[in-house]
Amino acid sequence: MTTAREIPDILSDGFTTDPYSAYRVLRRDAPLLWHEATQSYIISRHEDVRRAFKSDAFTTANYDWQLEPVHGHTFLQLSGREHAVRRALVAPAFRGSTLRDRFLPVIEQNARDLIDGFRTTGSADLVGQFATRFPINVIVDMLGLDKADHPRFHRWYTAIIAFLGNLTQDPGVAAEGMRTREEFAEYMLPIIRHRRDHLGDDLLSTLCRAEIDGTRMSDEDIKSFCSLLLAAGGETTDKALAAMFANLLLHPDQLDDVRRDRSLIPRAFAETLRYTPPVHMIMRQPDRDVEVSGGTIPAGSTVTCLIGAANRDGDRYADPDSFDIHREELNTATAFTAAADHLAFALGRHFCVGALLAEAEVTAATDQLLDALPDLRLADGAHPVEQGVFTRGPAELPVVFTPAA
């Protein structure tokens, strides 16, 4: 096993600027790395990260300290039948006819509303004016909450994501995360209690009435899930959508392909999830000693799984550092399911419950953006720059286009 002194440090400025070069070194020279600052073992090869997500040996016990302080107790911390039942209570709202008939119109309307704000101007920042606002607006509308509170929701999910990615244990970031949990509870719990007595067709009502074998979600369960949904659903879709457009704008020939054939949108999204995933690392905790490439991870240790590194593993993907929506390894039939090849949504029993919602959001948004802005291109001199370590995406995406009449 290699020590942190011999390879790039995931907390260094150089890593933040270009993690992909560091990932190559990690996969080649330090597939198992003890990182003193985060008190965790780092794994970076596709086969090892995939195993950490699928094997029963790896638990989510780390969420007791990583998620619960800001979200409350979530179903992600559960296992066995208890986890399966809690997941089954929420999953139907994010797939099939419920997603298509009830929530797709909400997604499409929110995309139109945001595009209407800049379609006549000839220029926009697709991050600040669209990507950071779109998924939060969608989730707030799905839940039947007041969209006028968008600035508050955005501040909350930003604080939560900062808490989850607080690898340096900054006390200010930790304190803000704790305050966010209290503020969100004060906001949501009265709404949940009122909604139980005034059920409608919104997602919050669906969660209130959901029942399996006599098990229902408590007010606290629903509040915690809504907190998780706002943070995970907002941050990941925000960054994935911005990254996909950045990748396409930097590869105009592939953007032209998508313009001509919109059935390629899922391929562009799936390749973005592999090439520039919105979440670069997820933690797990094994309940027994586990052998991986490079050595043994002791039971009870924290394991940092580098999704960003695994998704560019040359042993799994041809020409892994190239963005190619036509690559043979892409399978859009499984790319947004627990059978996905890329690891951006994790795998196994804790596969992202909102993956199909994210696909629906990105597909609808891309369709409408390309319809409204048919000659969309990067502004002169613009070059998208990614930011972030735990989550990562373009800081801004300035574009120009012919203004709509």
Side-chain angles (χ1 to χ4, degrees):
M1 185 178 66
T2 309
T3 63
R5 292 186 300 275
E6 298 172 306
I7 59 131
D9 186 354
I10 64 170
L11 300 182
S12 68
D13 291 341
F15 181 89
T16 302
T17 301
D18 177 21
Y20 303 106
S21 295
Y23 291 156
R24 285 193 290 271
V25 176
L26 284 164
R27 288 192 306 266
R28 183 188 67 227
D29 300 332
L32 178 62
L33 169 75
W34 171 250
H35 190 254
E36 187 69 26
T38 59
Q39 291 290 291
S40 71
Y41 289 89
I42 296 175
I43 57 175
S44 51
R45 291 182 179 173
H46 189 279
E47 62 177 321
D48 294 326
V49 175
R50 183 180 183 85
R51 181 184 177 195
F53 289 157
K54 296 201 71 172
S55 170
D56 289 341
F58 289 85
T59 76
T60 55
N62 53 287
Y63 287 160
D64 293 351
W65 54 265
Q66 191 179 19
L67 292 185
E68 188 164 343
V70 285
H71 290 306
H73 199 69
T74 72
F75 75 98
L76 297 181
Q77 297 164 253
L78 304 176
S79 60
R81 185 179 184 279
E82 190 178 12
H83 170 266
V85 170
R86 289 297 191 281
R87 185 180 175 97
L89 287 169
V90 302
F94 299 96
R95 65 187 184 218
S97 60
T98 302
L99 175 59
R100 181 183 63 251
D101 300 336
R102 190 185 306 176
F103 296 130
L104 184 57
V106 173
I107 294 168
E108 293 172 338
Q109 184 61 55
N110 273 283
R112 279 192 295 272
D113 290 345
L114 286 173
I115 295 170
D116 284 346
F118 55 78
R119 70 167 73 223
T120 62
T121 64
S123 64
D125 171 16
L126 286 187
V127 174
Q129 292 176 261
F130 192 86
T132 60
R133 300 171 63 188
F134 172 61
I136 290 296
N137 284 359
V138 168
I139 291 169
V140 168
D141 270 5
M142 287 175 64
L143 289 168
L145 303 177
D146 188 350
K147 199 153 53 179
D149 288 326
H150 177 275
R152 188 186 304 189
F153 294 124
H154 190 274
R155 176 171 59 84
W156 283 336
Y157 98 72
T158 301
I160 291 170
I161 292 298
F163 182 95
L164 299 180
N166 189 20
L167 301 178
T168 60
Q169 298 300 302
D170 184 309
V173 172
E176 182 62 25
M178 299 296 285
R179 281 194 297 271
T180 295
R181 174 178 173 172
E182 295 176 4
E183 291 178 11
F184 189 72
E186 290 173 0
Y187 177 90
M188 279 301 302
L189 288 173
I191 294 174
I192 293 168
R193 289 192 287 267
H194 181 269
R195 197 66 54 88
R196 285 196 186 277
D197 296 327
H198 302 83
L199 296 173
D201 290 332
D202 54 83
L203 176 58
L204 192 55
S205 296
T206 299
L207 298 175
C208 287
R209 66 166 64 93
E211 181 175 344
I212 293 179
D213 296 335
T215 298
R216 303 182 68 181
M217 298 177 74
S218 68
D219 292 355
E220 181 66 25
D221 289 337
I222 295 173
K223 183 272 298 179
S224 297
F225 178 74
C226 290
S227 175
L228 186 67
L229 179 62
L230 281 166
E235 177 79 357
T236 56
T237 305
D238 159 2
K239 286 181 164 49
L241 181 59
M244 188 185 78
F245 268 93
N247 291 332
L248 289 172
L249 288 162
L250 290 169
H251 298 81
D253 55 331
Q254 296 185 56
L255 176 57
D256 287 342
D257 290 343
V258 174
R259 281 195 181 105
R260 288 190 298 266
D261 181 0
R262 301 299 174 81
S263 70
L264 293 175
I265 293 173
R267 295 187 68 85
F269 185 31
E271 174 66 348
T272 292
L273 291 173
R274 183 202 68 82
Y275 182 69
T276 49
V279 178
H280 272 236
M281 53 187 73
I282 289 179
M283 293 180 177
R284 290 288 188 262
Q285 184 173 311
D287 62 6
R288 69 202 79 161
D289 291 354
V290 178
E291 293 289 330
V292 296
S293 303
T296 302
I297 301 174
S301 304
T302 299
V303 182
T304 300
C305 306
L306 294 184
I307 294 171
N311 274 355
R312 292 202 185 193
D313 191 334
D315 287 340
R316 184 62 191 86
Y317 303 102
D319 196 12
D321 292 319
S322 294
F323 178 78
D324 180 9
I325 66 173
H326 302 295
R327 66 170 55 248
E328 292 183 3
E329 299 99 329
L330 282 181
N331 182 354
T332 54
T334 60
F336 311 105
T337 74
D341 180 77
H342 67 80
L343 305 175
F345 289 133
L347 293 172
R349 63 188 181 280
H350 290 291
F351 176 79
C352 176
V353 72
L356 291 176
L357 171 62
E359 181 198 13
E361 289 177 306
V362 169
T363 299
T366 303
D367 251 333
Q368 292 200 33
L369 283 165
L370 294 180
D371 283 344
L373 319 172
D375 60 348
L376 178 73
R377 58 199 182 279
L378 281 173
D380 289 345
H383 189 82
V385 176
E386 292 183 359
Q387 287 185 347
V389 176
F390 181 75
T391 61
R392 189 171 176 87
E396 58 182 8
L397 194 56
V399 296
V400 293
F401 47 86
T402 301

